[in-house]
Amino acid sequence: MAELELEPYAASVHWHFAAARPPETWQQMLTAFLDNLGMACTADSKCVLGHIKFFARLPHGGYLRGSKISPHYPADLEVKGGTSPFAQLQMSLNVLVYGLPLQEAQQIVRQVGTAAAAEAGGEMEIFTAQADHQHEH
Amino acid sequence: MHLLIITGFLGSGKTTLTMQLAAECLRQGRKAAILVNEIGEIGIDSQLLRELDYNVWEMVNGCICCTIAADFIPTLQKLSEEYTVDLVLLEPSGAAEPGSILRNLRYYKGPLESVYIVTLLDPLRLAELYEVVTPLITKQIAEANLILITKSDVAAAEQIRQARHIAAEINPGTEPVEISLRQKLDEAILKEILPWQNWN
């Protein structure tokens, strides 16, 4: 198989809901988000998932982090220190998928994120970092 | 100052191992600094490490072994001169080649007692990844002083066997050790990895 290019995509993703939700509900939604993102990024069989991960500080202390390393294994999420419900979350997201062009990664994150937020009755906004770096040796 | 380079492909467990080693340094009364390099524009691992109050230095927006190699030496210099740390735990991006990092070290003029490379292999994905990023994984394995096969608690016996086979073909002089980073590192591994316990 040919060597694949890696174009890292990074974004700040903001999630908004009308009412506060407990951390467990956020965890369920974001697990589905990561799992769907992993599937969508590798829908083209030539793409290979390197790592999709996010980190978010919780509004009342603690953090939520998630990791997806393969479409064949479930996403791994951890909530630490936060028990109070909250309505908004701002996460840093990195999408590292071999063979997936940057623009496509951006589109996929928008589509999958919008769907995840809408299904849960909320909204999502993406603020993209200046992610135009290609990894070369 | 000692330098410990923790390499391995994306998602192989580098940050988890780094955290465990940093905590162990603290427990042993040693001063450690974590130097994290991530290829994404936003540092995710460094945010986590900072949240947990580790002494973290971040190098983002490029790979330490190529595109931002020039930032590495001044950072190391600073850690040596201004912070007098015992150990620098360097966690390069999963796309970094340790050999390139070692070559860049020739520009470092400060004291460096030892350099040791630990390479993590994720047996769940190694066979698949080895096909698509062969040169990178080959170099990460070939340049290792110690190879740790992670996720031994969830990997199938066949996946572990494959990982051992790939490691043995590329770096026959190193006997891989299976670990699960969900558990505390055992004393033998710590003795092998931490410089004041075993290194020459």
Side-chain angles (χ1 to χ4, degrees), chain B residues 161-174:
Chain B
R161 194 199 61 77
Q162 274 184 333
R164 282 190 169 279
H165 177 72
I166 291 171
E169 284 216 315
I170 298 166
N171 190 341
T174 305

Side-chain angles (χ1 to χ4, degrees), chain B residues 28-99:
Chain B
Q28 294 188 15
R30 301 285 184 158
K31 199 169 168 186
I34 301 172
L35 185 49
V36 185
N37 165 230
E38 294 182 65
I39 49 175
E41 304 274 336
I42 306 175
I44 303 278
D45 299 336
S46 52
Q47 288 186 53
L48 169 67
L49 291 163
R50 279 207 185 90
E51 182 74 19
L52 298 171
D53 280 338
Y54 289 114
N55 177 18
V56 184
W57 296 66
E58 185 181 34
M59 296 173 72
V60 291
N61 198 10
C63 178
I64 194 170
C65 81
C66 51
T67 51
I68 56 166
D71 297 345
F72 171 47
I73 299 304
T75 307
L76 210 54
Q77 208 85 38
K78 199 166 185 171
L79 284 170
S80 163
E81 290 166 8
E82 297 177 26
Y83 294 86
T84 57
V85 298
D86 297 309
L87 176 66
V88 175
L89 291 158
L90 170 58
E91 184 192 333
S93 84
E97 295 170 5

Side-chain angles (χ1 to χ4, degrees), chain A residues 15-84:
Chain A
W15 305 82
H16 310 267
F17 288 85
R21 303 147 56 86
E24 303 76 48
T25 310
W26 281 95
Q27 192 173 0
Q28 283 166 11
M29 183 195 77
L30 293 174
T31 300
F33 167 66
L34 271 189
D35 281 333
N36 291 338
L37 197 53
M39 296 288 280
C41 286
T42 53
D44 181 340
S45 59
K46 74 170 170 50
C47 297
V48 175
L49 209 166
H51 202 175
I52 300 174
K53 55 185 173 176
F54 74 77
F55 180 86
R57 279 190 187 82
L58 302 182
H60 309 295
Y63 65 84
L64 176 56
R65 66 169 174 148
S67 168
K68 176 83 175 170
I69 56 162
S70 165
H72 309 299
Y73 297 98
D76 187 23
L77 263 82
E78 181 191 26
V79 187
K80 203 110 183 183
T83 51
S84 304

